[in-house]
Amino acid sequence: MSTFESSIREIAYSQQAVYDMLSDLSNIEKVKGRIPEDKLNDLSFDQDSIAISSPMGAVKLHIIDREPPKTIKFETEQSPLPFNFWIQLLPVTDTSCKMKLTIKAELNPFIKGMVQKPLQEGIEKIADALQMIQY
């Protein structure tokens, strides 16, 4: 099992506020304006799932577990590479929290060599985007 983790990010909002926003994927509607136009192609979502086209093909994730206000776990429903993804939130103060993103995938050594760098860069970009949201 290969694991890819984002750097730990501090968010200037309470753990509960961040969890409430991220645990309901229909909230993406509120931040759609911040997503670059070229990334909006084929983006669809509801409360429990999100689908988007990637350079490697269509990817659809759905939430498989919520542990308020600490963790949101996703699993691929459709993807060229099956993986699990989760968001971990820890309180720092009443008005801030820390976030870490993790991807775990079963990768053979050949595939890992090809996708390691894009996956690591991708998880950091997702963390950047989540850090900038006004919760």
Side-chain angles (χ1 to χ4, degrees), residues 54-99:
S54 79
M56 295 179 356
V59 176
K60 183 171 185 179
L61 296 166
H62 68 275
I63 295 176
I64 56 168
D65 189 29
R66 291 176 175 92
E67 191 180 331
K70 299 186 286 186
T71 314
I72 307 158
K73 294 183 181 177
F74 299 80
E75 185 175 78
T76 53
E77 210 169 274
Q78 176 185 354
S79 174
L81 239 149
F83 62 90
N84 290 330
F85 170 71
W86 55 105
I87 301 170
Q88 295 167 283
L89 302 167
L90 290 172
V92 175
T93 67
D94 288 345
T95 58
S96 69
C97 67
K98 288 186 178 180
M99 173 190 71

Side-chain angles (χ1 to χ4, degrees), residues 11-47:
I11 299 176
Y13 292 90
S14 73
Q15 178 188 26
Q16 189 66 53
V18 175
Y19 176 84
D20 290 346
M21 175 80 149
L22 297 178
S23 64
D24 180 351
L25 296 176
S26 59
N27 287 323
I28 291 172
E29 193 64 49
K30 297 176 188 172
V31 296
K32 246 178 129 172
R34 295 174 180 260
I35 302 169
E37 280 291 322
D38 62 323
K39 305 290 185 220
L40 286 175
N41 291 344
D42 304 320
L43 173 69
S44 63
F45 51 88
D46 58 28
Q47 185 176 353

